[in-house]
Amino acid sequence: MKTFKLVGLQIEDTAVTENSVIPLKDGLVINKEDGENSWLIEALISKEWLPLFNEHMEQPDTQLKVLVTISKTTNTPAQISASVKNITELDESISVLLDGRLLARSV
């Protein structure tokens, strides 16, 4: 497995024209290197995002399309189809664990 610093997180919303940019307090991205393009994303974010992620965790069959930027903000975001696996409430923030698959880039 390879671990990277998460520096950008966006939720793609097909109902609106703009993606939801989620301000990060901290985060990690783990490439499972399992031959299946599986990735784990852990994001430490504000509690204001709890309702959105709770809604998706309660519907485990739904997938979020997320754009993750790793290492440097100048890197091109990777598109991942993910489900919410866990939410941990902390004093002033939440930790959200997403499990997903890297989507192929269109040329």
Side-chain angles (χ1 to χ4, degrees), residues 71-87:
S71 301
K72 298 186 294 187
T73 56
T74 56
N75 286 339
T76 302
Q79 188 177 50
I80 296 176
S81 178
S83 59
V84 179
K85 291 297 179 190
N86 188 47
I87 301 170

Side-chain angles (χ1 to χ4, degrees), residues 29-41 62-68 77-85 97-105:
V29 179
I30 301 170
N31 178 348
K32 292 183 184 180
E33 294 187 320
D34 59 1
E36 301 289 326
N37 285 326
S38 299
W39 293 72
L40 288 174
I41 303 154
T62 63
Q63 295 288 302
L64 285 170
K65 280 193 180 177
V66 295
L67 298 171
V68 297
Q79 188 177 50
I80 296 176
S81 178
S83 59
V84 179
K85 291 297 179 190
L97 182 65
L98 304 166
D99 187 15
R101 297 204 186 280
L102 184 67
L103 299 174
R105 288 188 191 181

